[in-house]
Amino acid sequence: MTRDDAFLQFLLRMGDNTLVLGHRVSEWCGHAPVLEEDIALANTALDLIGQTQMWLALAGEVQGDGKSADDLAFLRDAWDFRNALLVEVPNGDFGRTLMRQFLFDSWHKLMLERLKGSSDERVAAIAEKAVKEVTYHVERSRDTVIGLGDGTEESHARMQEALDYLWPYVGELFAGDAVDAEMVAADIAPDPASLRADYDAILAEVMAEATLSIPKSGFAHKGGRDGRMHTEHLGHLLTSMQWLQRAYPGARW
Amino acid sequence: MAQPSEQQVWDWLDAVPDPEIPVISVVDLGIVRDVAWEGETLTVTVTPTYSGCPATSIISMDIETALRERGIRDIRIKTRISPAWTTDWLSDKGKMKLEEYGIAPPRPAGGPERCPRCGSKAVEKVSQFGSTPCKAHWRCTDCLEPFDYFKCI
């Protein structure tokens, strides 16, 4: 694997995470339990899609085949996606959506903070921009996890259920491979494993306040970041997200 | 026609309203970072506010249209993301106009100083997210009116 190959994979991982999660979160538009939450979810989705445009535009540039961010978003099939499995799982109820958001946001913020110091100034610039938005995302998802976790009997039970369901998808965020090793060698991105201690500390604090128990199991579903095996949910998501460009190739508005 | 000075271009751009908050100009908003002639081409450097803000592409179009109307033919809009846009770049004039319009201007303290309608300091946050990516949703507990707060970033 050349450095450019690894760099492309790294950029697709960043951009596909924000693209797939952005799409998932946008599925709430018009369906959230209250108007304020609807607006907050739509704004979060918008930020994530905006960040996707930056990551995938750079991915297209590095790939050098003249592909735009839109080409990469709408014309790749499931096996070419490099997002972590966590972001493609269905939304479930509002509690599970916000739990997933918190689990992702906490990782996302730590990652972007480190990427601000990337040796590649384009990566550093995107991280500098995105981290400002993500700071607001994590503030809200954290408060909501605490509010619902330490809430009513029902909201508490649902949040614990959400954490138990999503926990096996967390480990993949920190599982490094040859791509990551190449990025570390080039000083472009950190070893994902090096973010784990800070992540665990944040989770321990927030889950304690939310009166939720972090599952003991260290089992992790993998296969999204390297594209080896996505869940069946990704294909369904893509049929909805990509249908217009698939049905009417090259359509513009 | 003679090439207009860069200062002249800045003045023209100061008359281009933000599409979402028309009381302030794109210059007040601090997203126009540079105006420079390179030979016959005028380059305007724009830094977007939020990465997914739908107004960004409209703003670039509005800038181009406004300058074309002034007779400039060769225009290049350059997007620069670093340094990232910050609410510190809002002009003082812009902040004042925001408040007159009913949007509390950003403050480093992280919340509005007072209700932009009645001036009361008894305000509370409803949601960190509001009607556009750059605003949060607050309310005044004295006059009971909801209002937008232009959040710090």
Side-chain angles (χ1 to χ4, degrees):
Chain A
M1 183 179 4
T2 68
R3 183 151 293 179
D4 268 359
D5 290 339
F7 191 27
L8 173 61
Q9 292 302 310
F10 164 76
L11 294 168
L12 291 174
R13 289 172 179 185
M14 293 304 294
D16 288 346
N17 274 340
T18 50
L19 174 61
V20 172
L21 185 59
H23 185 83
R24 275 285 183 236
V25 175
S26 79
E27 291 171 356
W28 274 100
C29 199
H31 300 279
V34 291
L35 183 61
E36 286 77 9
E37 292 305 328
D38 207 288
I39 290 169
L41 286 162
N43 270 299
T44 304
L46 198 57
D47 287 341
L48 291 170
I49 301 295
Q51 293 165 18
T52 303
Q53 284 174 340
M54 298 192 284
W55 288 122
L56 293 188
L58 183 52
E61 196 180 313
V62 169
Q63 193 177 30
D65 294 339
K67 290 201 172 98
S68 68
D70 280 351
D71 292 335
L72 291 173
F74 296 120
L75 301 174
R76 279 180 303 153
D77 219 326
W79 45 79
D80 291 326
F81 273 72
R82 295 292 180 265
N83 59 281
L85 301 177
L86 174 70
V87 298
E88 70 194 41
V89 294
N91 289 333
D93 61 16
F94 179 74
R96 192 200 280 177
T97 297
L98 265 294
M99 179 61 81
R100 182 186 58 200
Q101 195 66 37
F102 174 68
L103 295 173
F104 179 80
D105 290 345
S106 303
W107 168 84
H108 201 194
K109 181 152 188 280
L110 289 171
M111 184 55 141
L112 293 171
E113 292 285 4
R114 295 282 292 276
L115 291 178
K116 277 162 71 179
S118 173
S119 66
D120 186 289
E121 58 184 33
R122 297 165 298 180
V123 170
I126 297 173
E128 181 199 347
K129 174 92 202 127
V131 77
K132 291 183 165 210
E133 297 163 358
V134 170
T135 301
Y136 278 106
H137 299 175
V138 72
E139 181 188 317
R140 167 171 172 274
S141 59
R142 174 187 179 278
D143 287 356
T144 315
V145 163
I146 293 171
L148 292 175
D150 187 18
T152 65
E153 205 175 309
E154 169 151 12
S155 73
H156 173 85
R158 286 197 188 206
M159 291 311 270
Q160 185 63 56
E161 211 175 290
L163 181 56
D164 294 346
Y165 175 84
L166 294 168
W167 186 249
Y169 294 98
V170 168
E172 188 188 10
L173 298 170
F174 304 96
D177 59 9
V179 169
D180 297 298
E182 190 60 36
M183 289 299 94
V184 172
D187 213 12
I188 289 177
D191 175 4
S194 68
L195 307 174
R196 186 80 209 225
D198 286 347
Y199 185 84
D200 284 342
I202 293 166
L203 250 66
E205 185 212 316
V206 171
M207 294 309 166
E209 204 178 328
T211 70
L212 298 170
S213 322
I214 298 173
K216 296 272 180 287
S217 166
F219 172 74
H221 293 293
K222 288 175 198 149
R225 294 180 84 231
D226 54 18
R228 195 169 39 80
M229 191 163 51
H230 281 280
T231 66
E232 72 270 32
H233 307 298
L234 181 64
H236 290 270
L237 180 148
L238 295 183
T239 56
S240 156
M241 188 180 85
Q242 297 181 330
W243 83 268
L244 196 136
Q245 282 302 325
R246 299 284 189 184
Y248 305 97
R252 305 178 61 86
W253 66 84
Chain B
M1 92 184 193
Q3 203 171 64
S5 71
E6 285 158 7
Q7 185 53 51
Q8 176 65 67
V9 174
W10 277 102
D11 289 345
W12 287 337
L13 293 179
D14 200 22
V16 176
D18 174 89
E20 290 284 349
I21 313 166
V23 287
I24 59 170
S25 76
V26 293
V27 172
D28 285 329
L29 192 58
I31 62 170
V32 180
R33 303 313 301 160
D34 194 34
V35 170
W37 283 103
E38 287 157 24
E40 297 296 305
T41 306
L42 179 70
T43 302
V44 179
T45 306
V46 171
T47 295
T49 52
Y50 281 73
S51 49
C53 185
T56 306
S57 58
I58 308 287
I59 289 173
S60 297
M61 221 161 63
D62 287 351
I63 288 176
E64 204 177 323
T65 310
L67 295 178
R68 276 196 199 292
E69 279 169 5
R70 298 289 184 170
I72 301 175
R73 295 192 186 283
D74 203 352
I75 303 160
R76 195 164 74 99
I77 309 279
K78 198 166 96 185
T79 304
R80 183 199 287 166
I81 62 170
S82 178
W85 181 79
T86 158
T87 32
D88 296 345
W89 293 348
L90 275 171
S91 70
D92 288 338
K93 168 166 77 83
K95 286 182 193 163
M96 215 173 66
K97 285 184 176 170
L98 278 179
E99 190 160 21
E100 284 169 12
Y101 187 60
I103 300 171
R107 286 201 320 146
E113 190 190 0
R114 56 178 178 259
C115 168
R117 297 181 191 280
C118 74
S120 163
K121 304 217 165 166
V123 293
E124 62 181 19
K125 183 171 81 185
V126 177
S127 171
Q128 198 60 276
F129 294 86
S131 55
T132 66
C134 56
K135 287 177 277 175
H137 182 186
W138 283 65
R139 111 180 107 209
C140 173
T141 54
D142 273 338
C143 73
L144 302 180
E145 286 292 327
F147 64 90
D148 277 331
Y149 164 63
F150 205 105
K151 67 192 183 202
C152 281
I153 190 170

